[in-house]
Every structure is written in structure tokens, then in C-alpha cells.
Amino acid sequence: MQILDTLVGRGARVYHSGGYLGNGEVVWLKARLPTEIRIGERDVLEPYLLYSNSHDGSRPIDIRPTIVRIVCQNVLNPALQVKSTTLMSPFRHSHRHSPEMLRREAKQFFQVVLEQCEVAQQLFMRLSGASCTESDFQAFLASLLPEPKRPATADQNPAVRKGYETRVESILAARRGIDTVFRHGIPEQRISPAGDNWWGALNAVTSWVDHVQEIKGDRYAHIIFGSGNLLKTKALELVQQASD
């Protein structure tokens, strides 16, 4: 916590929200960065630093950039490769390092994050200007959520066949859900589709994960630390490849 306060606190009102996971063994805190990302005139994204730590030593100190799209409160942790540059990779260290070393390396990380906000803006603007056709989007969904290979014993074993069919239906339902968000947004939450471009494709995935997908357990943990975050990261990788 002192590390994050050294980076962004300094007496300013920058802390946005905080909480815990599980029974309190992991705590997290989100702090606003002194910049913003704009995609066109109206689409504004706010960068944050998300700090998490564990009381029992089960997790390292983790500080990662998180971007929130204001119009729909979609959350994206863009930790991936953009050409030869790592865009916003997390800062992770174990508890055994000295506080002074952690503060020094965290400050270096903070400067890199601020620089990479500009890289992120350029990337997102490129995605918003790259058309995504119907066939493009369906191919994207098939890559994002591929069907599993049918087990060799499916015809002989009813339980195996049932498990396979259930998994396939779950994947197809997820594709249909993301496709609906891409086309229509989420009207009940006043979230409009982001457009027939790769920025819209990315936001269809993030909106579905953050606001529609049925999950078990803590939704925030799912979208920030869990499989929801992994799906959004994969989506960002795929839309970059498709828009090149």
C-alpha cells in the first residue's frame, strides 16, 4: 500500500475503490492515473493502477495498469505484446525484497506506464478505424472461443459425449452472447454498440464479460484477475492481429 501511495497518492484524492477477495486474504486498491485516453471526441478511457497484495504471502505484490471505458465501465488490463514493446505489463515482486528496492522499481514502472498510455491510445484509435465485417467478426469469435475436439470415446461413452456436447453448447452460447452485444449493445444498461470496427469487436467482448456473462463467485475477481480477464486479453491480441 505504501508503494502505491508513493507513486500516485502524495496527498491527492486519486483512490477510486478498493476491496478484498475470498475471506480477505487478498486485498486490492485502484488509483487514478493523471492522464486519459481519448478515442475520437466522445469515447474517453481512464487509466488506473490496480494494487493487490495478500496477507498470507500466497500472492506477490502486484501493481498493474487497468483501463476503464467511461461510457460502459468496461475494464481492460492490457498486458500483452504490441510489436516489440510490452504494453503495460504488471509490476510483480515477492514480499522478501526490501521496501526501498520495491519503491525504486515501482517508480520506474510508473514512468513506463505513463508513456505507454500514449501507445495504448494510438492502438485503440487504429482499432476504431479498422473495419470489421460480419465474416471477420464470426472468424474472430471462432478463434476467441474455439470448439473443443470431439473425444475419441464420445460415441461409446454417453457420459463423455454428454460432457462434450455441454461444453460445445456453452461455447456457442457465449459466441451468441458476444455477437448480440456487438450488434445491439446492452440496452437494459444503456450501453450502445461501439461500431462495426475492431474497437467495437473488442468492446463487445469486454462488455459481455463485465456485464452479461453468468459466473460463479466474485464478479470483480473474475473480470480483473480470473478467466474473464484472460478472455479479454486474448480478444485484444486477436483484434490487433486482425487489424494489422
Side-chain angles (χ1 to χ4, degrees):
M1 174 60 192
Q2 290 180 345
I3 296 174
L4 189 62
D5 196 54
T6 298
L7 296 178
V8 297
R10 302 171 186 172
R13 297 178 62 182
V14 298
Y15 295 110
H16 179 271
S17 55
Y20 63 89
L21 305 179
N23 294 316
E25 60 271 17
V26 176
V27 295
W28 60 268
L29 185 66
K30 192 163 66 175
R32 179 79 160 83
L33 290 174
T35 186
E36 66 180 16
I37 296 172
R38 286 187 172 269
I39 313 302
E41 295 183 359
R42 298 183 179 180
D43 206 346
V44 180
L45 297 91
E46 293 183 343
Y48 292 82
L49 283 182
L50 177 67
Y51 167 91
S52 63
N53 196 5
S54 63
H55 295 298
D56 57 5
S58 60
R59 291 172 57 95
I61 296 170
D62 184 301
I63 305 175
R64 66 181 63 194
T66 297
I67 295 176
V68 177
R69 186 170 178 242
I70 299 304
V71 68
C72 54
Q73 294 298 297
N74 287 356
V75 179
L76 185 64
N77 292 332
L80 71 161
Q81 296 292 321
V82 180
K83 296 185 179 179
S84 61
T85 303
T86 300
L87 174 60
M88 298 187 176
S89 294
F91 169 91
R92 290 194 183 99
H93 277 290
S94 69
H95 298 81
R96 68 176 181 270
H97 296 294
S98 70
E100 181 56 37
M101 191 205 78
L102 291 175
R103 282 193 292 269
R104 183 173 63 253
E105 294 195 6
K107 287 181 180 179
Q108 295 173 351
F109 166 77
F110 180 71
Q111 292 304 315
V112 172
V113 167
L114 292 180
E115 294 169 2
Q116 290 302 306
C117 283
E118 176 63 29
V119 176
Q121 176 164 304
Q122 294 173 6
L123 168 63
F124 296 157
M125 289 182 65
R126 177 168 65 82
L127 295 178
S128 69
S131 176
C132 176
T133 67
E134 172 65 18
S135 60
D136 289 337
F137 188 69
Q138 295 306 317
F140 161 70
L141 288 180
S143 297
L144 180 68
L145 294 165
E147 292 186 30
K149 183 178 179 180
R150 183 180 177 86
T153 59
D155 292 332
Q156 292 77 36
N157 189 320
V160 171
R161 182 172 64 253
K162 179 63 175 177
Y164 165 75
E165 292 173 348
T166 299
R167 177 59 179 157
V168 169
E169 177 52 36
S170 176
I171 289 172
L172 295 180
R175 288 188 196 174
R176 290 192 296 269
I178 296 171
D179 184 71
T180 298
V181 176
F182 181 67
R183 295 170 184 274
H184 306 294
I186 310 175
E188 59 271 24
Q189 297 195 33
R190 298 182 181 179
I191 296 176
S192 301
D196 296 330
N197 48 52
W198 287 110
W199 177 241
L202 174 63
N203 277 281
V205 177
T206 57
S207 290
W208 179 79
V209 169
D210 291 0
H211 306 295
V212 177
Q213 184 182 17
E214 294 184 3
I215 64 166
K216 295 180 180 179
D218 188 300
R219 177 168 292 276
Y220 197 81
H222 171 72
I223 67 178
I224 295 295
F225 301 105
S227 59
N229 176 54
L230 295 177
L231 186 66
K232 291 186 286 185
T233 299
K234 183 179 179 181
L236 185 48
E237 294 172 343
L238 289 174
V239 298
Q240 284 187 96
Q241 297 168 10
S243 61
D244 284 340

